[in-house]
Amino acid sequence: MPGWTGWLLAPMHALALATGAKSFRDNPILGSSALNRMGLHIARKRLAARLAARRRARLAAALAPGDRTAFDRDGYLALPDFLPPALFARLQAELLARQTPAREFADGYSLTRLIPLDAVTLPTLPATAEALASPRYRALHDYAGSHRLAPHCFVQTVFSGVRDAPPDVQSHFHTDTFHPTVKSWLFLTDVPGDAAGFTYVPGSHRPTRRHLAWERRLSTTAARHADRLTGEGSLRIDEAQLARLGYPPPRKLAVKANTLVIADTSGFHRRGISEGAACRIAIWAYARGNPFTPWAGLGLAGAGGRKVRAFWAMQDAIARFTGRGNGWRWVGLRSPATPP
């Protein structure tokens, strides 16, 4: 940490060790080659996994035994016919017809559209609000994320093959972070096998010995890694390396509408490669608690209100001030299926 600014920020960098902070680039302690050779990154990963296992044990009774067994084994679940047919039909109709301000991001051959499901939109979407508040939906997210947290929810549309370009960054195998965390997709439309289906490496949420050795080596150079996202703590890997770590082949999920796919995205996953133009529409949700808290929480904190909109407003203000944005922008009124 050269210079006076480094010493000023040193206490904050040290305190971040007890949080979900993951960026090797932005924190010189987390990115220290010497400390990671001594095992800092792997020690945080192992401790976070042990604490998550304890929290999940407290949350396990709310899940069906078969769901719990399959999730613990594979790191994800694909649950067809998740909602009662009548409720899903109402939810699907009210969301697909809805015109509302949307946010978009273009990367590679894909365009992603997000419509927040929050205090602004949910009061006018009764079927959606009912589905997202259902005990089974909440219990699955609590268990997968190992925290009682209301997930942030959006209608997410992914258009693949919208331009002549390589696949987007989400199409590379990666982990989201070093600790157990949850993302889900309740699909509003079918996702055929040749589309950009969610792809997961079964069991990769439980690191093998070779996985930990690979991650330890990578942590010593990640702060200077050529791949920006690896440097920020979302580790990238190719399919040949996955096989060397001892994992089975990845599974690309072709699913029907009304399937809930939920995963621990500390395991290796990616957005599947699309064979031509495709569109998938889902309610996308995520939640991420502090990995080092010993308790699961009371479910009183988490998503809700206008938190995401406030965060986006701050990002946009910084982009206007600095002239450097992250690519996301408001694009006016859109429905989930409005062509890009």
Side-chain angles (χ1 to χ4, degrees):
M1 291 179 289
W4 65 271
T5 53
W7 289 111
L8 265 180
L9 294 173
M12 293 178 61
H13 292 317
L15 288 172
L17 293 174
T19 73
K22 63 176 185 174
S23 177
F24 299 98
R25 288 179 184 269
D26 298 335
N27 185 318
I29 297 177
L30 296 180
S32 166
S33 294
L35 291 175
N36 286 325
R37 273 195 297 272
M38 293 165 60
L40 172 63
H41 173 71
I42 295 302
R44 292 181 83 222
K45 186 178 181 74
R46 283 177 164 151
L47 177 58
R50 286 199 296 271
L51 289 170
R54 291 182 189 177
R55 292 191 300 268
R56 281 177 175 159
R58 299 188 187 111
L59 298 165
L63 264 66
D67 289 347
R68 188 170 66 245
T69 299
F71 183 87
D72 290 345
R73 181 189 66 232
D74 295 331
Y76 77 94
L77 292 170
L79 302 171
D81 302 316
F82 181 74
L83 295 176
L87 175 58
F88 179 73
R90 287 193 290 123
L91 174 148
Q92 187 184 47
E94 72 182 13
L95 288 178
L96 294 184
R98 179 71 178 235
Q99 289 270 349
T100 192
R103 202 161 166 89
E104 291 183 353
F105 175 70
D107 177 56
Y109 74 167
S110 297
L111 182 139
T112 302
R113 176 179 300 150
L114 291 181
I115 296 171
L117 297 174
D118 58 7
V120 176
T121 52
L122 277 179
T124 62
L125 299 167
T128 303
E130 181 183 344
L132 298 183
S134 70
R136 188 184 183 204
Y137 186 84
R138 285 296 306 274
L140 285 163
H141 285 80
D142 290 348
Y143 186 81
S146 78
H147 289 274
R148 287 191 186 95
L149 284 176
H152 297 283
C153 297
F154 311 80
V155 182
Q156 181 196 63
T157 306
V158 178
F159 296 99
S160 301
V162 297
R163 58 186 181 183
D164 186 15
D168 58 83
V169 294
Q170 298 301 323
S171 300
H172 302 284
F173 282 107
H174 63 282
T175 64
D176 281 356
T177 189
F178 68 94
H179 60 88
T181 189
V182 61
K183 284 184 179 175
S184 76
W185 296 261
L186 176 56
F187 287 99
L188 304 181
T189 55
D190 294 349
V191 182
D194 59 355
F198 180 70
T199 305
Y200 197 89
V201 179
S204 62
H205 64 307
R206 293 179 285 104
T208 64
R209 229 172 174 182
R210 279 175 278 181
H211 177 162
L212 290 173
W214 169 82
E215 202 159 316
R216 183 170 185 155
R217 289 193 301 271
L218 185 57
S219 70
T220 65
T221 59
R224 306 181 302 279
H225 203 282
D227 179 77
R228 175 182 60 84
L229 293 171
T230 292
E232 292 174 359
S234 179
L235 307 182
R236 264 50 189 170
I237 192 169
D238 61 38
E239 213 159 335
Q241 286 176 307
L242 283 169
R244 288 197 291 272
L245 299 188
Y247 292 121
R251 292 180 190 165
K252 184 180 182 183
L253 303 182
V255 300
K256 295 291 187 182
N258 197 19
T259 297
L260 178 72
V261 172
I262 186 166
D264 178 349
T265 52
S266 68
F268 291 112
H269 64 284
R270 74 174 180 185
R271 180 182 294 164
I273 306 298
S274 173
E275 300 172 20
C279 170
R280 76 178 208 201
I281 306 175
I283 294 178
W284 173 57
Y286 74 88
R288 190 174 294 179
N290 186 321
F292 299 114
T293 56
W295 50 84
L298 300 174
L300 302 178
R306 302 173 185 235
K307 293 178 184 177
V308 168
R309 291 175 194 265
F311 178 70
W312 284 346
M314 181 182 68
Q315 283 188 323
D316 292 344
I318 292 170
R320 286 193 298 271
F321 181 74
T322 63
R324 295 192 301 271
N326 63 3
W328 283 97
R329 61 191 182 96
W330 290 103
V331 293
L333 294 178
R334 300 284 192 277
S335 76
T338 301

